[in-house]
Amino acid sequence: MTDNDGNESILGQIQPYEWDDQQAISFEVAQDTISLFIAHCTDRYWTERRKETPDQSVMDHWDEQSRLASIDRHALRADDPEAIRAVRDSYGQRLRELNGRADG
């Protein structure tokens, strides 16, 4: 693959990644799980902020949790099934705890 000037395009250097339906679904579930956790963090942050006397440390905590989760979501790669499984397990557990269902 070449660009308009006849130079090899960077896209021509990218190796295709083959994945099956289960891998694709697992990756999407992992991304969605992190996104849902970020949504919970945002809700907790704004719940605290709307209080008559909000606790800045609580707001900072949820802001930081959201920031770290965003980094994890951005770093997640479709070709790393171990990381995908770890994300689904850890963020799934955290969501269950936030929802008061830590039993799994």
Side-chain angles (χ1 to χ4, degrees), residues 3-104:
D3 63 17
N4 292 338
D5 296 325
N7 300 315
E8 183 178 0
S9 169
I10 189 71
L11 294 176
Q13 299 173 20
I14 297 174
Q15 298 298 316
Y17 177 71
E18 299 289 329
W19 56 353
D20 61 29
D21 289 345
Q22 186 58 45
Q23 289 170 308
I25 292 167
S26 292
F27 179 66
E28 288 185 32
V29 168
Q31 288 182 311
D32 290 349
T33 302
I34 295 173
S35 294
L36 187 55
F37 178 78
I38 292 169
H40 273 271
C41 292
T42 301
D43 177 63
R44 300 286 172 108
Y45 174 92
W46 282 99
T47 297
E48 185 64 32
R49 184 171 175 154
R50 288 184 190 112
K51 291 181 178 178
E52 188 173 315
T53 55
D55 184 334
Q56 186 63 47
S57 67
V58 171
M59 292 169 28
D60 290 346
H61 168 78
W62 291 114
D63 189 45
E64 178 69 1
Q65 292 300 303
S66 179
R67 187 185 71 77
L68 294 172
S70 294
I71 291 170
D72 287 345
R73 184 177 56 192
H74 181 73
L76 192 63
R77 297 287 173 248
D79 61 351
D80 190 350
E82 290 179 22
I84 290 168
R85 188 172 18 264
V87 160
R88 288 174 50 202
D89 291 347
S90 69
Y91 280 96
Q93 179 64 34
R94 294 170 82 179
L95 285 169
R96 286 187 295 276
E97 290 169 0
L98 285 171
N99 288 321
R101 297 189 335 258
D103 57 353

